[in-house]
Amino acid sequence: MKENKDNSKVSRLPKVQDENVDFGMMATLTGFSVKMVWILGYSLLSQKMPDPAITPQRVTMLELIGCNPGLAQTQLAHALGLSRPATSLAIDFWQARGVVERRVDQDDRRAFGIHLTKQGQCIWADLRAKVKQSDEILTKRLSEEEIEQLNRLLSKIYS
Amino acid sequence: MKENKDNSKVSRLPKVQDENVDFGMMATLTGFSVKMVWILGYSLLSQKMPDPAITPQRVTMLELIGCNPGLAQTQLAHALGLSRPATSLAIDFWQARGVVERRVDQDDRRAFGIHLTKQGQCIWADLRAKVKQSDEILTKRLSEEEIEQLNRLLSKIYS
DNA sequence: TGCATTAGTTATCGCCACTAACTAAAAATC
DNA sequence: GATTTTTAGTTAGTGGCGATAACTAATGCA
């Protein structure tokens, strides 16, 4: 009966602009800016989702399942940087909504391959489109060249 | 007696590089890249801190307190985008470590002005230096121009 | 056959947000 | 000037979602 109010697990955006409050050095740090943009992106994405429980984290998982059909849970956990229990619960989430299914691996009957259901294919396609839109909204103040530049610099940092 | 193991409340970095797992469209999204960099930055910063409980969020609060002495809790909450109870607890955290103190506002005796203690001044200075170093490590693969460019693009998004 | 390993689940805990409800002080209303 | 409403901060309770430890079942190697 619990109806999932906006449990936005990410803090609201700090008010760096508040003219009465000085953020000091924070505003000059790449790490801080990146966090601000992430919070903003998280919020934009959540708004676009049909259900506030569909978080960026869960969307990422769905993308991995969609792009790598039959992936085992442990591989999924590793790729996402999650513990196996957390991964298991996240799969439960999508399974409960009829989006993915666990198929026993015939070569190793302990393991499951995770697959999108027929219905899941549609939902995935829909969500992907929305994710893309939301990313476009996030970067709407930048030109095409600036977006490319930004993505290049960011991936230089983390890859 | 609980000894605060690495309770890194932020997921470990996803393994985008895993050659067996395709991240699909995620790798092309600014929102995703930004999250990756943030997780990385969070982890780098946490490592530099003398106590793993000193998180980026708490450092941000300390910076605000240091740069805006006497700020009331409600203003602090607003600037940080936090609820008042959460802010109150975060202040408790620093107060318990002798870093900040609550001084009753003589004009409004319901309110507290938050100030750094003498000792807090030193700790603040030390942490700021470490934060700066950690941000430099985060961006070490980028040139000075690239860092400026990156910060400019990021702040264009969120300000 | 038997023991160590591995996939996944269950149980438990911890952190840190949130809202609701409370106290005390201040401001507004009459 | 007494009463009501609002505001600052705290306390209590809830929830999400990570983590680890302990468990079951299947596998693999001696």
Side-chain angles (χ1 to χ4, degrees):
Chain A
M1 212 92 304
K2 54 137 201 171
E3 245 334 298
N4 232 330
K5 46 195 163 176
D6 178 16
N7 60 56
S8 58
K9 67 176 292 314
V10 164
S11 355
R12 292 178 290 256
L13 205 62
K15 309 286 178 306
V16 183
Q17 296 297 1
D18 186 332
E19 62 232 347
N20 303 311
V21 180
D22 178 7
F23 272 70
M25 77 183 298
M26 300 315 293
T28 72
L29 299 173
T30 301
F32 181 80
S33 300
V34 138
K35 182 187 173 182
M36 294 291 289
V37 173
W38 183 61
I39 294 177
L40 186 55
Y42 192 108
S43 141
L44 290 174
L45 183 52
S46 299
Q47 284 169 31
K48 270 236 177 292
M49 293 297 107
D51 173 351
I54 301 178
T55 59
Q57 176 77 260
R58 289 179 170 139
V59 170
T60 300
M61 168 172 272
L62 199 58
E63 180 76 5
L64 260 65
I65 293 170
C67 293
N68 305 273
L71 207 61
Q73 293 190 201
T74 298
Q75 296 174 273
L76 204 45
H78 183 256
L80 291 169
L82 278 182
S83 67
R84 279 171 307 142
T87 306
S88 194
L89 292 172
I91 293 170
D92 289 349
F93 173 88
W94 285 120
Q95 191 170 42
R97 284 161 178 75
V99 175
V100 308
E101 60 187 8
R102 290 164 158 101
R103 295 190 198 153
V104 275
D105 181 337
Q106 287 311 325
D107 293 347
D108 181 349
R109 295 199 333 285
R110 292 169 303 180
F112 296 116
I114 313 299
H115 297 262
L116 290 178
T117 61
K118 199 109 194 174
Q119 196 203 138
Q121 297 281 355
C122 304
I123 293 177
W124 181 41
D126 177 53
L127 291 184
R128 300 187 101 196
K130 293 202 164 85
V131 167
K132 191 152 172 296
Q133 286 164 27
S134 140
D135 209 61
E136 282 162 7
I137 294 174
L138 181 67
T139 54
K140 67 170 186 284
R141 294 189 193 166
L142 307 184
S143 68
E144 278 306 316
E145 296 75 41
E146 285 178 320
I147 295 174
E148 275 173 37
Q149 177 82 337
L150 176 57
N151 290 343
R152 189 183 67 77
L153 293 172
L154 290 171
S155 65
K156 210 163 161 178
I157 290 180
Y158 77 77
S159 2
Chain B
M1 210 95 302
K2 56 140 200 167
E3 246 333 298
N4 232 330
K5 45 196 162 173
D6 178 17
N7 60 55
S8 57
K9 66 175 292 313
V10 165
S11 353
R12 291 179 291 257
L13 205 61
K15 309 287 178 306
V16 183
Q17 296 296 1
D18 186 333
E19 61 232 347
N20 304 311
V21 179
D22 177 7
F23 272 69
M25 77 184 297
M26 300 315 292
T28 72
L29 299 172
T30 300
F32 182 80
S33 299
V34 137
K35 182 188 174 181
M36 295 291 289
V37 173
W38 183 60
I39 294 176
L40 185 55
Y42 193 108
S43 141
L44 290 174
L45 182 52
S46 299
Q47 284 168 31
K48 270 237 177 291
M49 293 297 107
D51 172 351
I54 301 178
T55 59
Q57 176 76 260
R58 289 179 170 138
V59 169
T60 300
M61 168 173 272
L62 199 59
E63 179 76 5
L64 258 65
I65 293 170
C67 292
N68 306 272
L71 207 60
Q73 294 190 201
T74 298
Q75 297 173 273
L76 204 46
H78 182 256
L80 291 168
L82 276 182
S83 68
R84 280 172 307 145
T87 305
S88 193
L89 293 171
I91 293 170
D92 289 348
F93 173 89
W94 286 120
Q95 192 169 43
R97 284 160 179 76
V99 175
V100 309
E101 60 186 9
R102 291 164 157 102
R103 294 188 199 154
V104 276
D105 181 338
Q106 288 310 327
D107 293 347
D108 181 348
R109 296 199 332 286
R110 292 169 303 180
F112 295 116
I114 313 298
H115 297 262
L116 290 178
T117 61
K118 199 109 195 172
Q119 197 203 140
Q121 297 279 356
C122 304
I123 293 177
W124 180 42
D126 177 53
L127 291 185
R128 299 187 103 197
K130 293 201 164 84
V131 167
K132 192 153 172 296
Q133 285 164 27
S134 141
D135 208 62
E136 282 163 8
I137 295 174
L138 181 66
T139 54
K140 67 169 185 285
R141 294 190 193 164
L142 307 184
S143 68
E144 277 307 317
E145 296 75 41
E146 285 177 321
I147 295 175
E148 274 174 40
Q149 177 82 337
L150 176 57
N151 290 343
R152 190 182 65 78
L153 293 172
L154 290 171
S155 66
K156 209 163 161 179
I157 290 180
Y158 78 77
S159 1

